[in-house]
Amino acid sequence: MLRVLALASVVLLGIAPEGSQAISIYTGWERHALVGSDIRLSCSFFSWRFVSDDVSFSWSYRPDGSRESIAIAHYAGGEPYTDNKGPFKDRVEFVGNPKNRDGSILLKNLDLNDNGTFTCDAKNPPDIVGRPSSVRLLVFEQLPIQAGVITGAIIGVVLGLLVLIVVIYYLMRFLVARRVFSLSVSKHGKKKKEGSQQRQIKV
């Protein structure tokens, strides 16, 4: 067991450059958009170091049903570079702020053929060891109603019915109690009136 751990340590040390630490990269999980619309795909990273002047971002795109990825955007040396001949020619723009660890891109005039997986990779030298993060884009002619919205509506209706039942229950109790009180007062007044009449007859 110790030999295995030792070998693993040697391998990791051999992979990671001296003085570097792991970098964590974050994107969304899944995004939905309409045909003809624009969408911003966010990418950020966490690193223990300040943002380096050599910070870089790279975006690639893999269409649904394909195994090959296409580079569509890159930021390095303080300059953005975007796709000028691929599927996103003139339709992708680097809109992030690298100094704030933001490597977002903007996709324009979306089409149904844009469905696929977008992967972001970031480097903040000397922290360059990290796993790229991916976000799936689904383009629709009309956005579908999400299951969460339906579930929320059902829960809202059920809660509304429960509140209505409780209100009706307490209203009925109030009306019954008021009726009983009215009858009690009426009966008591009637007995009092009869007693007064009997005393007048005796006199």
Side-chain angles (χ1 to χ4, degrees), residues 16 46 92 99 129 132 138 149 155 177:
F46 173 79
V92 58
K99 291 300 181 182
V129 179
L138 298 177
V149 175
I155 293 175

Side-chain angles (χ1 to χ4, degrees), residues 24-195:
S24 299
I25 305 166
Y26 306 97
T27 60
W29 176 253
E30 185 174 279
R31 298 295 307 276
H32 296 174
L34 289 173
V35 170
S37 66
D38 302 344
I39 191 168
R40 181 186 178 115
L41 299 183
S42 300
C43 177
S44 60
F45 68 85
F46 173 79
S47 172
W48 289 104
R49 303 178 188 276
F50 291 107
V51 177
S52 168
D53 292 335
D54 297 322
V55 64
S56 66
F57 290 91
S58 297
W59 279 91
S60 62
Y61 163 67
R62 180 172 58 81
D64 282 349
S66 174
R67 295 183 178 181
E68 296 184 358
S69 295
I70 306 167
I72 61 171
H74 183 69
Y75 177 92
E79 295 292 335
Y81 304 89
T82 54
D83 183 12
N84 59 6
K85 59 180 179 180
F88 290 96
K89 179 182 179 181
D90 300 326
R91 295 197 299 129
V92 58
E93 180 183 354
F94 186 87
V95 294
N97 185 348
K99 291 300 181 182
N100 289 335
R101 306 169 187 258
D102 177 14
S104 302
I105 58 173
L106 180 69
L107 302 179
K108 305 175 182 179
N109 192 22
L110 293 173
D111 186 82
L112 291 175
N113 294 324
D114 296 334
N115 285 315
T117 301
F118 295 78
T119 300
C120 176
D121 192 12
K123 308 292 183 187
N124 187 40
D127 295 350
I128 61 174
V129 179
R131 178 179 295 180
S133 182
S134 298
V135 54
R136 182 132 190 269
L137 175 64
L138 298 177
V139 182
F140 300 95
E141 292 185 350
Q142 182 178 358
L143 285 179
I145 299 177
Q146 298 183 359
V149 175
I150 298 176
T151 303
I154 293 174
I155 293 175
V157 171
V158 171
L159 290 177
L161 289 175
L162 289 176
V163 171
L164 182 61
I165 291 172
V166 171
V167 171
I168 293 174
Y169 170 74
Y170 281 101
L171 180 61
M172 292 298 294
R173 287 192 59 181
F174 171 76
L175 293 175
V176 170
R178 185 178 178 181
R179 177 65 176 170
V180 170
F181 177 76
S182 297
L183 290 175
S184 177
V185 171
S186 177
K187 187 175 182 180
H188 180 71
K190 186 176 181 181
K191 287 184 177 180
K192 186 176 181 181
K193 185 177 181 180
E194 290 176 352

